[in-house]
Every structure is written in structure tokens, then in C-alpha cells.
Amino acid sequence: MKILIAGGFGVGKTTMVGAVSEIAPLRTEEPLTATGLDVDDLKGIEEKRSTTVALDFGRITIGADLVLYLFGTPGQQRFWFMWNDLAIGALGAVVLIDVRRPESSFAAIDFFERRGIPFVMAVNGFHGLHPYPTEEIRESLALPEHVPVLLCDARERESCRDVLIALIDRLIDDVTPRPSPTR
């Protein structure tokens, strides 16, 4: 299964792929440069020193017949054109959000909603902090009830695994026939 790990600039996509991948992840990280300072908004992520310029790739085996291929998208707006190609064949996505900068998630939410690609929202707790309950986050992002909102830490393998399992559960629910109401 092809799964995208998406979100805005500096929300933890590369970290998540690296934390959960059973193989050494492929990374296309490059140092931030002075030239990019005019383009990249580092407000709230001033400590960031590098960025994904193409994609991240990792793999995790869930079972004998289920392997997830993880594709981390670039977060900077100037690289968003690659999302269309990365989305080809994707069955679902994890949208990471940094609650310090919630506006960084809007474009990713719109991208997957417009394409009908199921996703879960993963709230990355930087420094272990989760200052808002999931229902408050859902409401502030105007997410429908069928989109799971999960708290996670992109640095922790188990936390990332749980997010991926929630996405798989959502994908299964989306294809499972519902009993028709009886009259």
C-alpha cells in the first residue's frame, strides 16, 4: 500500500518516516540557505536547518501480506507541484499538523479532500506537548467526523505505528459495506 505522509513545512514528516520505517529511509534533505529566507516562513520553527526538497521514502511491514510504502511529501509551497505525482496510486494519507502553526495544515487537508484520498489527521506533539484536545482541533480545522484526529509524537516509532494503523482502519471502514437500515 502506498501511503503519503503530508503536511506543511516543518511539521515532522521526515521525522515520522524515519521513526517508523524498518529500512534506512531515503531522504532528500538539503540545508536551508540564505536565498530561501525570502521564501520560507520559519516563524515558530526558527531552529530548522534543513528541508525535504523531493520526498522521503520508508517501508513498514504490517503483516505477511501487508507492506506500507511511505512517501513523505515536501512541505514548502514551492515544492507542492510534486504532490500530484506522489499522490498517484496512494490509498491514503497521514496529514501531520503542528498546533503551533495550524495554518500549515490547510493546504494538505484541501489537497486530499479535493482528490477524495482518505486521510487521518495526526497532531504532532512537539516536545511531548499536546495543549489542545482532539475535538477542539477537529472543530478549528472544520474536519468531518469520519476523519480521525490523533495525538502523536513523530519521533516515537510506536506513536507513528498507531497513526498508520488508524489510517488502515479508516481505509477498511471506507470499503466495508454498511448494513442497509430496516424498515
Side-chain angles (χ1 to χ4, degrees), residues 17-82:
V17 171
V20 76
S21 181
E22 65 194 17
I23 61 170
L26 167 71
R27 293 189 171 131
T28 59
E29 288 280 298
E30 291 296 330
L32 292 172
T33 64
T35 305
L37 292 177
D38 296 334
V39 183
D40 302 326
D41 181 8
L42 294 175
K43 184 179 178 190
I45 53 171
E46 293 83 4
E47 70 282 355
K48 189 161 178 60
R49 298 289 174 249
S50 63
T51 188
T52 300
V53 296
L55 62 97
D56 298 307
F57 175 78
R59 183 185 75 209
I60 181 169
T61 302
I62 303 296
D65 58 348
L66 181 58
V67 177
L68 302 183
Y69 295 98
L70 308 173
F71 290 80
T73 64
Q76 295 162 287
Q77 187 172 358
R78 66 178 179 256
F79 298 125
W80 286 354
F81 68 92
M82 288 187 262

Side-chain angles (χ1 to χ4, degrees), residues 45-169:
I45 53 171
E46 293 83 4
E47 70 282 355
K48 189 161 178 60
R49 298 289 174 249
S50 63
T51 188
T52 300
V53 296
L55 62 97
D56 298 307
F57 175 78
R59 183 185 75 209
I60 181 169
T61 302
I62 303 296
D65 58 348
L66 181 58
V67 177
L68 302 183
Y69 295 98
L70 308 173
F71 290 80
T73 64
Q76 295 162 287
Q77 187 172 358
R78 66 178 179 256
F79 298 125
W80 286 354
F81 68 92
M82 288 187 262
W83 286 33
N84 288 317
D85 289 334
L86 289 171
I88 295 171
L91 295 181
V94 172
V95 176
L96 278 176
I97 179 176
D98 175 354
V99 292
R100 302 171 302 177
R101 301 174 299 113
E103 68 283 354
S104 69
S105 67
F106 296 151
I109 293 168
D110 290 343
F111 180 87
F112 295 109
E113 284 180 338
R114 276 187 264 125
R115 285 159 183 79
I117 298 173
F119 66 95
V120 298
M121 180 64 64
V123 183
N124 190 7
F126 287 84
H127 309 293
L129 300 176
H130 288 289
Y132 306 102
T134 56
E135 283 311 310
E136 191 173 322
I137 294 166
R138 173 187 306 290
E139 186 177 317
S140 69
L141 295 173
L143 291 171
E145 283 297 318
H146 68 273
V147 175
V149 177
L150 308 143
L151 302 177
C152 75
D153 185 332
R155 301 167 299 173
E156 295 179 6
R157 179 177 177 81
E158 294 79 19
S159 181
C160 298
R161 178 207 59 210
D162 292 347
V163 168
L164 293 170
I165 289 170
L167 176 60
I168 293 167
D169 288 343

